[in-house]
Amino acid sequence: MAKIDAGQAVIEALGAEGVEYIFGIVGTTTNTMVTALHGRSDIRFLDSRHEEGAAFMAYGYTRASGKPAVCMTTSGPGTINLMTGVALAYKGRAPVVVIAGDVPRADLDRDGAQSFDLVNIFKPVTYLARHVHKTERIPEALHDAFRTALGAKRGPAFVNIPRDLLEGQTIDRELAKPAAYRPVDLRIPGDPEAIRRAAEVLLQAERPLLLAGGGVVDSGATGEAVALAELLGMALVPSYGHNDAVPNSHALFVGTPGNRGAPEALAAINRADAILALGSRLNQHSTHWDYSTLGRGARIVQVNVDAQEVGRNYPVAVGIVGDAKAVAQQLREELGKRKQPARTAWRAEIAALKARRKARLDAESRLTGDPMMPHLVYPELRRALPRDCMVTLDAGVAPGLSYDRLEFELPGTFFNYSGHGGLGMGYAVGLGTKLGRPDRPAISIQGDGGFLYTSQEINTAVRHRIALVSIVLNNGCHGAEKAQQQRHFGARYVGVDLVNPRFDRLAEVYGANGWYVTRPQDIAETVTTALKLDGPSVIEIPVAEHFPLPAKLPGAAGH
């Protein structure tokens, strides 16, 4: 049987999986693999300016495209620098495969240069972390990694390959196709009896609510979720961080929950007597893991592809293990056999909550201040952003206003920190989303503190012509921490006030487009112009440091 170089075999295995980009920075232990990309057009090496940025880009790419992403980095700190971004993939259930080129086996366990126990370092933030001991087992390790990363519960995997297993080594040329080593159809239906019991719970409810989780987006179940809600007159609420799971313009949509979401959505959850948690883990931000938001008497039907998540945070009336789209179709068919109650009163209550939210947001247009209140940015963005625009939010207070103030109509258009909470991910993740869906416009929104975490990747965006529009809301401080120090620590400010460069000028130094916008009425036109350009842009908007938050509604959680 013909042989090929071990490094080339790695690249051929990635090509078989349809990998389009390898994110990383070159190193001496990975050159055997990286140089095998020379002259290829099907797989590109996307070199970042820091490995953390590479991992964030890989996350954005796979979440936007639905395809697996690969990071490839060299020994020691080169791979360890991926940790924060891989942890985001772990929290965000994203199939990111890390291939680390390690030091030679002879240098392991001897405190050699750049020698660390990488496998055990990455075990807590991956679904699989393994070390390759023999050259001929490299394909097997990669198959394990993709089988794990692309399983029913998606997530990151880590493969560590010592340098001496690659250099001067060969592998059999014949490599297996993905269908030979992993399932390629994971549309798992729910148990028929559980479907029948769930239908009974939903039919008996007077105030049913559909909480649409990340599984709705991942399985392409938006249409099925909306059809169920319309059939039963259910309030539509996306779980926190998944605003794009259902169209926000729908008559049954109330808002998104969470401490940065809509109090009206919290009130709807509190009032519901039955909740269909479709593709949802009932996460902390949506429910606070107590009964301050979710009513204690509500009967829960929870659907999740991961059996470990069903009933984990709340007792369920019916638990269903299965794909959100498949289960929603089953429920729709079962419920279609039965007469549906009108639920006129509940529909009127939903309409009243929607009207209250609209009035609250409309009132924000009258806020004044110099610099402007950050609330004034969002009506302008709603006017400027195309329907299919992908939006990535960094962590932070000012970007966090987006959860309640931007509108999403299509799945796969909203990206955030997924419970990870790492400041600075927004810009690099946004770059990844544009690479994953180059046919769609893309923006990222971040504060001044978070933007400087990964702003060196403007250079990456310029070199690779990634047309992301980045909006920096500059309030000159770490907002959440400063507010906490003010409210609870006697205004003893330490480490919260920032001195920044002009971000528009920083962008121009890198070779990107830069704007500095101080008036709300100029925002929409600037964003529209930037989105038309073939290259990266940065729009800096100075905003007020202190601003009002929405009042709590009766029955809503005070978080």
Side-chain angles (χ1 to χ4, degrees):
M1 185 177 292
K3 302 278 189 177
I4 57 174
D5 291 339
Q8 185 183 350
V10 171
I11 300 304
E12 295 298 338
L14 301 185
E17 283 286 359
V19 171
E20 294 179 314
Y21 290 97
I22 299 174
F23 299 87
I25 295 178
V26 297
T28 56
T29 68
T30 59
N31 272 336
T32 308
M33 297 176 284
V34 172
T35 55
L37 291 167
H38 186 73
R40 294 185 70 136
S41 59
D42 57 331
I43 309 177
R44 287 178 57 192
F45 189 80
L46 201 296
D47 53 319
S48 61
R49 299 314 302 261
H50 191 281
E51 289 89 354
E52 180 182 70
F56 283 147
M57 288 181 217
Y59 175 80
Y61 168 85
T62 186
R63 292 300 304 171
S65 69
K67 302 173 184 177
V70 171
C71 291
M72 185 177 288
T73 46
T74 193
S75 54
T79 293
I80 293 171
N81 282 343
L82 293 172
M83 175 65 75
T84 302
V86 174
L88 173 61
Y90 180 81
K91 282 285 193 179
R93 309 295 195 263
V96 174
V97 173
V98 176
I99 300 173
D102 205 351
V103 299
R105 287 173 294 172
D107 295 349
L108 295 172
D109 305 319
R110 299 179 65 183
D111 197 23
Q114 293 194 335
S115 178
F116 294 90
D117 186 356
L118 295 175
V119 169
N120 279 313
I121 288 173
F122 276 83
K123 274 184 178 179
V125 295
T126 58
Y127 292 173
L128 171 78
R130 65 171 292 182
H131 182 87
V132 181
H133 297 276
K134 294 182 178 181
T135 298
E136 59 266 30
R137 297 191 68 183
I138 290 174
E140 173 193 324
L142 293 174
H143 296 168
D144 284 350
F146 280 96
R147 185 186 304 115
T148 300
L150 295 168
K153 179 183 176 182
R154 293 188 163 197
F158 178 85
V159 177
N160 193 56
I161 310 176
R163 178 176 182 173
D164 58 305
L165 297 185
L166 293 163
E167 294 180 348
Q169 304 299 313
T170 59
I171 292 177
D172 292 340
R173 174 176 284 276
E174 187 175 345
L175 298 171
K177 302 292 185 184
Y181 56 79
R182 64 175 179 85
V184 293
D185 184 5
L186 292 169
R187 192 72 75 186
I188 303 168
D191 176 73
E193 178 55 32
I195 295 294
R196 285 190 288 271
R197 289 190 287 116
E200 289 295 336
V201 169
L202 297 174
L203 281 170
Q204 292 166 10
E206 296 180 359
R207 299 180 301 279
L209 180 143
L210 193 152
L211 185 67
V216 171
V217 178
D218 291 345
S219 66
T222 293
E224 287 75 12
V226 169
L228 273 174
E230 291 173 345
L231 180 66
L232 292 171
M234 306 174 81
L236 269 174
V237 174
S239 67
Y240 187 83
H242 303 291
N243 296 35
D244 57 342
V246 292
N248 295 184
S249 63
H250 197 279
L252 294 170
F253 176 84
V254 180
T256 185
N259 58 338
R260 292 178 179 171
E264 297 82 8
L266 297 175
I269 294 173
N270 187 264
R271 285 281 294 149
D273 59 355
I275 294 175
L276 172 59
L278 185 63
S280 171
R281 292 174 284 148
L282 294 166
N283 66 36
Q284 183 180 8
H285 284 301
S286 295
T287 66
H288 304 104
W289 288 347
D290 56 25
Y291 290 98
S292 61
T293 295
L294 195 147
R296 192 176 293 273
R299 302 178 72 191
I300 299 173
V301 175
Q302 187 177 7
V303 180
N304 201 287
V305 75
D306 182 7
Q308 294 293 323
E309 296 293 347
V310 177
R312 181 181 184 185
N313 296 316
Y314 290 92
V316 296
V318 182
I320 303 175
V321 177
D323 170 80
K325 185 182 183 79
V327 171
Q329 289 171 340
Q330 290 175 288
L331 283 170
R332 179 76 173 81
E333 183 178 345
E334 183 67 28
L335 288 162
K337 303 173 185 175
R338 326 250 184 126
K339 184 179 179 181
Q340 307 298 319
R343 297 193 174 93
T344 306
W346 180 230
R347 289 177 184 267
E349 194 169 340
I350 293 169
L353 286 170
K354 286 176 63 68
R356 183 162 185 168
R357 176 171 176 255
K358 183 179 185 302
R360 172 173 59 79
L361 296 180
D362 287 346
E364 293 178 352
S365 64
R366 297 188 289 274
L367 292 172
T368 59
D370 185 18
M372 75 181 81
M373 291 290 178
H375 307 66
L376 300 180
V377 173
Y378 295 100
E380 303 303 318
L381 290 181
R382 290 198 299 271
R383 277 191 276 276
L385 298 183
R387 187 169 181 264
D388 62 344
C389 185
M390 299 181 294
V391 179
T392 300
L393 299 186
D394 203 346
V397 174
L401 292 172
S402 303
Y403 286 92
D404 190 26
R405 290 164 182 81
L406 290 184
E407 296 174 347
F408 298 90
E409 295 302 308
L410 300 176
T413 54
F414 182 63
F415 309 88
N416 65 1
Y417 52 78
S418 299
H420 175 266
L423 195 64
M425 44 68 63
Y427 184 68
V429 170
L431 293 176
T433 68
K434 183 61 178 176
L435 290 168
R437 287 296 303 268
D439 57 314
R440 286 182 168 180
I443 72 166
S444 64
I445 304 175
Q446 51 275 305
D448 49 316
F451 186 65
L452 280 180
Y453 273 52
T454 56
S455 61
Q456 73 276 1
E457 302 303 344
I458 299 174
N459 174 266
T460 304
V462 169
R463 287 184 293 112
H464 293 280
R465 301 202 63 79
I466 307 172
L468 174 75
V469 175
S470 178
I471 297 169
V472 184
L473 303 178
N474 184 1
N475 62 4
C477 67
H478 290 300
E481 291 73 21
K482 187 166 187 178
Q484 185 184 33
Q485 289 183 5
Q486 179 191 41
R487 295 168 188 164
H488 304 295
F489 297 93
R492 300 193 300 275
Y493 298 129
V494 177
V496 292
D497 291 305
L498 301 173
V499 178
N500 298 304
R502 276 278 295 266
F503 296 113
D504 59 318
R505 294 175 181 169
L506 179 66
E508 290 170 351
V509 168
Y510 275 117
N513 307 294
W515 283 271
Y516 189 79
V517 180
T518 59
R519 302 192 310 166
Q521 59 266 37
D522 296 332
I523 294 172
E525 182 180 355
T526 304
V527 172
T528 299
T529 299
L531 285 171
K532 294 177 181 177
L533 298 178
D534 182 24
S537 300
V538 175
I539 302 171
E540 178 179 353
I541 305 176
V543 296
E545 176 183 322
H546 301 289
F547 52 84
L549 296 173
K552 304 164 195 169
L553 291 184
H559 294 264

